[in-house]
Amino acid sequence: MIEYDEAEQKMVLKLVYYGPALSGKTTNLLNLHEMIDVKGRGDLMMLDTKDDRTIFFDLLPFYFVTPTGTKIKVKVYTVPGHVKHDATRKAVLTRADGIAFIADSQIKEAHNNAVSFENLEKNLSVLGIDIEKVPLVIQFNKRDLKDIVSEAEIHSMWDKTNIPTFMACALHGKGVIETYKSLLEMTYDSINSRYQLQTKHKVTKEMFISKLTVGKF
Amino acid sequence: MGDETEQIIFIVGSEKKLYEILTPGDVTALLKAIFIQGVNVVAITDEKYKVLWAQGSESYLKALPSLIDKAKKEPQPQNNEWHLAEITHEGEPIGFFFINVSKLISPEIFAFIKHLSLTVINILIKSTIKRLLTTEIHTSAIKQSYEELTEINKKLSISEKKYKELTRQLKKVLEQRTEKLKKAYAVVLQQEKMASIGQLAAGIAHEINNPMAFIYSNLNTFEKYIGKIKQIFDLYKDGSFDEAKVMYKKLKMDFILEDIHALISQSKEGAERIKHIVSNLKDFSHIDDTSDIINDINAEIDKTIGVLHKKLEEKGVQIVKKYSQPTMLKVKPGLFCQMIMNILLNAIDSKEKDVTITIETKQLEDNVIISIADNGKGIPRSIQNRIFEPFFTTKPVGLGIGIGLTIAYKIIVQYDGKIEVQSKENEGATFIIAFPL
């Protein structure tokens, strides 16, 4: 849920990159950090203390000020993919405004994807977030590898759910921005009317996207 | 469990002001280090230029707000007199670094101090944020785990309650069943007793019937004889001596008088046999005996054999006795006889015919040993440890309910005795009973 501090004139949005272990969530963020080079993009904070059970997530913040002076901060998080870090995942997922599910395209990872997606559904319901309403995009990463699920198969499975799907190769920066942009668009749509982004804060969807994605790509 | 409302709620990555991120200790140390390089004043402000921390000479500190105001218009003047730099966190300006130097410092040194100061401040912010995020995620994770554990604990408590209740009910049912079983067992024991008594009674009735039959027949004959004797006496009474003499001959009085002797002695013998049987039975049952001591175990064994006399005779069982000298034992004679009988009954049935039972008594250290050995089919090893269990029997249905040896066992244990069975298939079985003296 969006954090809005009226006195401070500040809105904080939380986007979460979810998915199984080693599906490329951090790689997505590393590339976003690399490609989006605009004033307001913060440093990538990596809490990659590998041997610590509970900590393992990354945070990439973005910041801009609207024409009316409202400060908008978008914090993009990754969650630890490993099954045992469920408590951390839940803590990070709390009050999420949008979710990008990063799936591993390899056929042998299909089961892990399913387990992670089920875990996402379960945690969202625990945290009181309606999966039908929360902005959600799915990225099928690692398209450059062999033995991957075909695009046709992915579309036949996901198109009926109305969840946008993206093919990506995050390691080479492909599909990373598209996934992020799509998630931003959906997030804008979901909060615009409630927080009067366009009417009160004078932020159009185009402005919202461009402020958060302008870079050298 | 604590009051829910007292729990601190941590949101991972919550927004923080500069004064919440930097610690006065770290900042003061840094600003002091810069100040001693010959700087007039050095300060850190919040995003609205409000001074948070500052180090400088007294006059410069006093003038700090106006100096900053002036710097707002021109953050980096050409003459390198001061510098006002934005401090950002997560892309957001959260404060300013202000430095004002004396003209004695060279532009190179000034640039170096500026750069180093901003770098250190950024590192301080970053490491503090990392620590804060770490703490937040830890706390969140722990809080969640705690809540989950609390929930699990709650559920477990409920289950525990249920199980306790279930256990209680099961215990009750078990007690009821045990009680029923005890009663049923008592009934079975009683039935078995009655059955053995019935069996004994049938044998004994037969034994009594035989002498009884000829005693009865003898009495009938005797009655006829008496009638004849009366006839002769009547003639004598009337004085008809001659007629009496004729009649005496006609009625073969000489033979009758002779036969009466035989009748009486036979009948006496029959009565004697009945007397003997009854006395045996009485001895065995110990109806009149309330004593707790056996004076001679050999005699008690003999009594038991006496009661089984008929059965032994019918089957042609040979009894070999190897008794030691008379031995006393502190056991109720009635129970002792019952125990011996139950084991003997088993031995009698140990095979179809030609059964020989060897009974040996002896004293060994502080024990009296009674061994009863048969030459029957033996007891297979696999069932040797089960023969004393109630209702365990190898006999066909209807011929035994498997309680005889159980009763024997109970009697032995009651007197701290021991029973052991040694047997090999087709080589007979030996029951060795030991009682402490």
Side-chain angles (χ1 to χ4, degrees), chain A residues 8 10 54 73 75 90, chain B residues 13 15 90 92 138 148:
Chain A
E8 287 277 331
K10 191 173 184 182
T54 46
K73 195 179 262 184
K75 292 180 170 179
K90 258 187 259 177
Chain B
E15 290 306 290
E90 296 182 335
E92 175 189 5
H138 261 314
E148 276 160 24

Side-chain angles (χ1 to χ4, degrees), chain A residues 43-47 57-60, chain B residues 126 129-130 133:
Chain A
D43 287 336
L44 177 61
M45 192 73 76
M46 290 172 82
L47 297 185
F57 71 94
D58 311 314
L59 166 58
L60 179 61
Chain B
K126 241 186 182 170
I129 287 296
K130 256 194 185 180
L133 283 175

